[in-house]
Amino acid sequence: MIDRLLELYMKWEKDERVRMVIIAGAGRGFCAGGDVAVVYLLGKSGDKDRGNTFFGKEFRLNYILGTYEKTHVALLDGVVMGGGNGVSMHGKFRIATENTKFAMPETAIGLHPDIGASYFLSRLPGHLGEYLGLTGTRLDGADLLSCGLVTHFVPSKRLDDLVDRLGNLNSGDPDVVSSAIDEFCDVVCPGDKSPLHRRDAIDRCFGHDTVEEIVQALEIQAGRSEDEWYTNTLALLKKMSPISLKVALRSIREGRQQSLFQCLESDYRLVVHAVNATHSTDFYEGCRALLVDKDNKPKWSPPTLAEVTKEMVDDIFGPFHRGEKVSELLVQDRERNSRSLSRL
């Protein structure tokens, strides 16, 4: 899929007849990712380089979307998780429906929120990005519109008519396209159980410098309050890979000051460490427990936050020094990078 999309997007960008690209899911969802299951199998069979090459291609596509010269419209009807966010969130228009289910659940499988998620999560209000990235919490379409991860909300029954309307515009002008989408929109607000109603609590707990301090803040609030949100959030964090939590937090924090290209370049270094198991086998253990054997009982290594040292995390974020090379597929394109930087 990534190979085909790379081919098409590069072709369409140069084609003067193409004014707009609309992407939608082929089934009940938009795209749930799932690519990591194949990378897991490649790594277990000894073909880690092929898995790393896949990530290089995927991140290149993410970057192309973030700097695309043609108007891009993603119809996020259904599940949009992991890699699905990579082929949608970086584009100009993102349209949610009542069926949309968003999440970046990578810390549950020993990875970090990749595909440039540190770029868009870090730009959410307050510390919502850290909360979503560390816990993998799901948001629905109304939530996504409220926090700005999508640009429009359109009921699913109107999508076909919307596509017809866009197809008849004969224009890719973003203002014209946005006005056309507005014709099909509904006004929606987060539901009663939406995590967005916990913004004060999220900012208070997830604004700390370290994962240990975040956990401690949640524990203190859980002891003082009868609100189950604190204990439920603690339970979520305690299921996740400790090394992934620390990598995810640092990735999102650093992403605030980085361009999209820099976020994706960092993502590539981080996934190579995970796939190559240079510091931990958590990626393989997480995939085994949640995607392959599905026993939901991963045995993390290191097993606790205290055993994930600062030196370990520093090395994961540092330049490659064991012969690894940044994928040639992520060689910097100066023109694209300048466009990415201008969006900061």
Side-chain angles (χ1 to χ4, degrees), residues 94 96 140-153 186-189 196:
R94 293 140 350 247
D140 64 20
D143 295 332
L144 293 172
L145 183 67
S146 179
C147 71
L149 279 173
V150 300
T151 57
H152 298 81
F153 182 99
D186 264 2
V187 176
V188 291
C189 297
L196 297 189

Side-chain angles (χ1 to χ4, degrees), residues 39-341:
V39 176
Y40 162 85
L41 294 173
L42 289 171
K44 294 296 285 185
S45 67
D47 199 357
K48 294 182 175 66
D49 287 346
R50 193 172 163 200
N52 289 329
T53 296
F54 160 73
F55 278 119
K57 290 180 179 181
E58 183 180 31
F59 298 165
R60 185 185 180 207
L61 176 62
N62 303 152
Y63 186 56
I64 287 171
L65 283 180
T67 55
Y68 209 54
E69 293 186 348
K70 303 294 176 73
T71 297
H72 190 266
V73 181
L75 308 179
L76 307 179
D77 189 34
V79 172
V80 51
M81 296 183 184
N85 288 305
V87 293
S88 59
M89 287 295 163
H90 301 298
K92 181 70 175 177
F93 297 110
R94 293 140 350 247
I95 300 173
T97 75
E98 73 280 5
N99 301 319
T100 306
K101 293 180 178 64
F102 162 97
M104 290 297 297
E106 284 75 13
T107 56
I109 56 168
L111 205 57
H112 75 289
D114 58 337
I115 51 88
S118 59
Y119 185 81
F120 60 77
L121 289 179
S122 66
R123 284 154 177 78
L124 293 178
H127 296 284
L128 182 61
E130 287 96 323
Y131 167 69
L132 296 175
L134 269 62
T135 65
T137 296
R138 294 187 180 191
L139 298 182
D140 64 20
D143 295 332
L144 293 172
L145 183 67
S146 179
C147 71
L149 279 173
V150 300
T151 57
H152 298 81
F153 182 99
V154 175
S156 59
K157 65 183 179 181
R158 299 179 191 166
L159 289 181
D160 288 343
D161 291 337
L162 170 61
V163 171
D164 289 342
R165 178 78 171 92
L166 295 178
N168 291 324
L169 281 179
N170 200 31
S171 172
D173 182 280
D175 291 335
V176 175
V177 173
S178 184
S179 294
I181 299 172
D182 287 342
E183 297 171 14
F184 298 84
C185 286
D186 264 2
V187 176
V188 291
C189 297
D192 293 341
K193 296 182 179 180
S194 168
L196 297 189
H197 295 309
R198 309 286 186 172
R199 283 284 313 284
D200 288 345
I202 288 171
D203 289 349
R204 184 165 53 247
C205 295
F206 283 81
H208 291 282
D209 292 337
T210 67
V211 179
E212 287 91 340
E213 289 173 317
I214 291 172
V215 169
Q216 184 180 39
L218 288 165
E219 288 174 339
I220 291 172
Q221 293 300 322
R224 294 174 177 173
S225 171
E226 295 181 359
D227 190 342
E228 293 183 355
W229 180 85
Y230 294 105
T231 54
N232 291 340
T233 302
L234 268 173
L236 275 177
L237 290 179
K238 290 179 179 180
K239 289 181 180 180
M240 306 306 183
S241 156
I243 195 168
S244 292
L245 289 174
K246 290 197 173 184
V247 168
L249 181 62
R250 178 163 168 178
S251 175
I252 294 168
R253 292 279 164 83
E254 291 188 354
R256 284 194 171 92
Q257 307 302 322
Q258 294 176 330
S259 69
L260 174 58
F261 182 88
Q262 290 169 324
C263 287
L264 288 166
E265 190 175 43
S266 176
D267 278 344
Y268 185 75
R269 287 198 300 271
L270 302 181
V271 298
V272 168
H273 279 295
V275 172
N276 290 357
T278 54
H279 289 285
S280 171
T281 56
D282 277 7
F283 170 67
Y284 294 98
E285 176 61 9
C287 287
R288 180 206 64 76
L290 273 74
L291 303 177
V292 182
D293 296 341
K294 298 182 180 180
D295 59 22
N296 294 313
K297 295 180 179 179
K299 296 181 179 179
W300 303 124
S301 176
T304 66
L305 290 170
E307 293 171 271
V308 181
T309 66
K310 180 180 182 298
E311 291 73 21
M312 192 182 297
V313 177
D314 285 346
D315 189 61
I316 291 172
F317 277 84
F320 287 140
H321 56 81
R322 279 176 293 274
E324 306 101 328
K325 295 180 180 179
V326 173
S327 170
E328 293 180 2
L329 295 164
L330 278 176
V331 172
Q332 186 168 357
D333 179 312
R334 291 178 182 174
E335 181 182 353
R336 283 194 179 278
N337 197 38
S338 66
R339 293 205 294 271
S340 177
L341 285 169

